[in-house]
Amino acid sequence: QGVPGVDVAVIGSEDYTENYSLEFSGDNSYLSFPADVIDFRTDNSITFQIYVYPLAQKTDTAYICTHKGIFELALVRLAEGSKQYALINNIFKNQPIDTLAIDDWHHITMAIHVDKNSGSVKADYYSNGKLHHSQAHKNVDIAAIEAARDSIFMVGAYADTTKNFKGNIDEIRVWNRILDSTYVAKTY
């Protein structure tokens, strides 16, 4: 079965034709997907997978991807000159959920389920194919999530195109369902 094409804006001066992955300079280079590409609703689920190869970041916080108001995935510098960054996510209240070393590939999977009826969100974070962190939140502002559906999906920067990621990104995948741990392990 065919999959409809997507118009994606690639912003930056890099030559993407020579590389096998997308290279982000940390200076105004990012991917911008139209709001209707990822149609996240509060009565469904979403799983997002991405390979990242972070380099030393130019800012204290650098966004790998964001769908503002729904989910945000960012690296935060642990200490000046550190070879590791904390990985944070807004669903996990921006508390560190993992540590990623620079100059190495990492496979990240986020599975997010919103239950509109109960007002809860459950998120599972997988690192290199293994469940690493899981958390549920009750009394979530469902109206705010619904309002955020119209925001663009960004890779390599925050929604306002700041806090750019430096490094490589490959194999961005998005499903409109929750992937189970067996499938996540297979796709790693």
Side-chain angles (χ1 to χ4, degrees):
Q1 179 177 359
V3 177
V6 175
D7 291 327
V8 178
V10 179
I11 310 299
S13 59
E14 290 77 10
D15 180 4
Y16 297 109
T17 60
E18 297 293 322
N19 299 316
Y20 293 102
S21 62
L22 297 176
E23 182 179 337
F24 294 84
S25 66
D27 292 317
N28 201 31
S29 57
Y30 55 88
L31 295 175
S32 172
F33 294 83
D36 61 347
V37 169
I38 299 177
D39 189 16
F40 186 76
R41 300 173 187 271
T42 55
D43 56 355
N44 70 4
S45 305
I46 192 168
T47 301
F48 174 80
Q49 289 186 316
I50 190 167
Y51 279 92
V52 296
Y53 187 93
L55 300 173
Q57 301 301 307
K58 295 183 176 186
T59 60
D60 286 339
T61 303
Y63 280 82
I64 296 170
C65 63
T66 182
H67 198 307
K68 189 176 180 184
I70 296 175
F71 69 90
E72 299 164 358
L73 197 58
L75 296 175
V76 177
R77 188 185 322 269
L78 292 175
E80 191 64 40
S82 175
K83 299 265 188 214
Q84 295 187 334
Y85 286 80
L87 184 70
I88 63 168
N89 176 266
N90 62 318
I91 294 173
F92 297 121
K93 306 292 185 191
N94 290 331
Q95 296 299 311
I97 56 175
D98 200 356
T99 304
L100 301 184
I102 62 172
D103 302 322
D104 198 7
W105 281 104
H106 306 275
H107 183 254
I108 296 169
T109 302
M110 286 292 301
I112 304 164
H113 176 71
V114 177
D115 186 334
K116 183 164 69 173
N117 297 326
S118 69
S120 65
V121 174
K122 181 178 186 292
D124 295 324
Y125 165 71
Y126 295 82
S127 176
N128 296 329
K130 296 180 182 163
L131 182 62
H132 188 74
H133 193 82
S134 185
Q135 193 166 350
H137 297 286
K138 295 181 180 180
N139 303 318
V140 174
D141 186 353
I142 299 297
I145 293 174
E146 280 286 339
R149 283 185 50 226
D150 294 330
S151 65
I152 59 173
F153 177 68
M154 302 287 287
V155 174
Y158 187 63
D160 64 1
T161 70
T162 63
K163 301 178 183 174
N164 298 91
F165 173 80
K166 182 178 179 186
N168 291 53
I169 292 179
D170 200 11
E171 296 187 33
I172 303 163
R173 303 174 190 157
V174 181
W175 285 267
N176 63 350
R177 62 186 170 91
I178 296 292
L179 300 181
D180 64 28
S181 58
T182 303
Y183 194 84
V184 171
K186 280 185 196 176
T187 59
Y188 159 60

